[in-house]
Amino acid sequence: MPSSRTGAAGGHLAPIAKDSIPQLSGSSAAMQALRAQIVRIAASGAPVAIRGESGSGKELVARAIHAQGARADGPFVAVNCGAIPEGLMEAELFGCRPGAYTGALHERQGLFQAADGGSLLLDEVDDVPLAMQVKLLRALQERRVRKLGGSTDEAVDVRILCASQHGLARGVAAGTFRQDLYYRLNVIELAVPPLRERLGDLPALCDAILARLAPRQDMHLAPAVLAALARHAFPGNVRELENLLERALAFADGGMITVDGLGLPVAVPAAVTALNAGLPGRQLPLPGMGHGGAPIVPLQLFLLQTEREMILQALAQTRYHRARAARQLGISVRQLRYRMQKLQLREPPG
């Protein structure tokens, strides 16, 4: 029986089933439009720039594009560019020869070679340093890569997909992303909606995620659970929903997930909301320094303010380059993103 999916050269691509990828489940207008765009984009071999907040499902969208396209039988390789140390990025992407750097004892294949015949997702591509962007641009233009320490080029046949939180145009405007590389990568731009813009998909998402987390259990949501989830801001998007449900499974009683089991965070106090408004020069006093020795600011609030100011300072000094700011703070990029979400910090527009 012939397959319902054909290659990019002709025929039609089968539509993506709503439950084929749990995190892409839902019947909202936003998700229906996204799935339709994925089908159309998959038929093309053009580079795709996927834009969306952390945890919204950018890698899942990239996997769906790959699975629906002519390269579905080839490898899908994903790399988080912000997690690779700057000094090792060239070797990671293009491979290396023995002796290319200290500790390089054997010849090593790069991610471009690993994805040959398939698709390569460059996640957080806007964290690639400018010097490395030049080499990445050459590889995309020539469709050839040179291993670190090598003297010859190797042909590679890879479809490039990339992902970023705010889109690559912001990096171009800030001078942290090359305009020529932007035009090479941003041939097709695809926006992934945040969960707060498709709360009507919560029932389908919960069902799909629970079916994957507990396939042998008959789990049910207490009546108040969906209402409580709908009131949550979901700074971590679908990934946060998955974490909440995984926690709730551990506390479920008799197959019933309750609001208490979700462990939803307590509403942010009004003082923290004012803090996050970013008023210049605003300084809250230390706990216990008020008139008569009465505490003015709780310790937790003071610590939040201190953490917020340190992160903002690091981001400003690195021109909002998250990988460099994370190194300056001595934390990972993932930890930085989590803290920014917790403190409701957003990069400035433009």
Side-chain angles (χ1 to χ4, degrees), residues 327-340:
R327 286 195 295 270
Q328 184 171 311
L329 292 166
I331 59 178
S332 68
V333 176
R334 186 177 294 275
Q335 288 173 321
L336 175 60
R337 292 195 192 105
Y338 170 76
R339 284 169 163 80
M340 289 178 67

Side-chain angles (χ1 to χ4, degrees), residues 26-166:
S27 300
S28 64
M31 288 310 296
Q32 290 184 41
L34 178 63
R35 286 194 293 266
Q37 287 179 302
I38 290 173
V39 172
R40 290 195 297 269
I41 290 170
S44 165
V48 181
I50 304 168
R51 171 171 51 86
E53 296 178 7
S54 178
S56 59
K58 297 187 293 296
E59 181 175 337
L60 295 168
V61 168
R63 289 183 180 276
I65 293 172
H66 171 77
Q68 289 279 302
R71 296 172 177 266
D73 293 333
F76 176 89
V77 178
V79 55
N80 188 321
C81 298
I84 304 176
E86 187 171 341
L88 297 178
M89 187 165 290
E90 185 174 358
E92 285 289 322
L93 293 179
F94 305 146
C96 68
R97 299 288 186 188
Y101 58 89
T102 303
L105 303 179
H106 309 285
E107 184 162 337
R108 183 172 157 203
Q109 187 183 55
L111 295 174
F112 268 80
Q113 294 97 327
D116 192 33
S119 304
L120 174 62
L121 170 64
L122 301 173
D123 196 5
E124 302 300 338
V125 69
D126 42 351
D127 283 338
V128 174
L130 280 169
M132 187 62 204
Q133 290 178 29
V134 178
K135 298 175 181 179
L136 179 58
L137 176 63
R138 180 183 178 275
L140 297 180
Q141 289 175 333
E142 304 295 332
R143 297 191 177 186
R144 304 179 71 85
V145 298
R146 178 175 298 183
K147 289 181 178 178
L148 185 64
S151 57
T152 58
D153 293 342
E154 301 177 25
V156 289
D157 175 24
V158 176
R159 182 180 190 180
I160 296 294
L161 309 170
C162 67
S164 63
Q165 288 198 42
H166 303 286

Side-chain angles (χ1 to χ4, degrees), residues 12 17 21 48 58 75 82 111-112 155 172 184 199 206 211 219 251 267 275 301 333 335 344:
H12 299 282
I21 302 178
V48 181
K58 297 187 293 296
L111 295 174
F112 268 80
V172 174
R184 178 64 61 173
L199 293 176
C206 290
M219 304 302 302
F251 292 94
L275 233 179
L301 182 56
V333 176
Q335 288 173 321
Q344 301 178 17

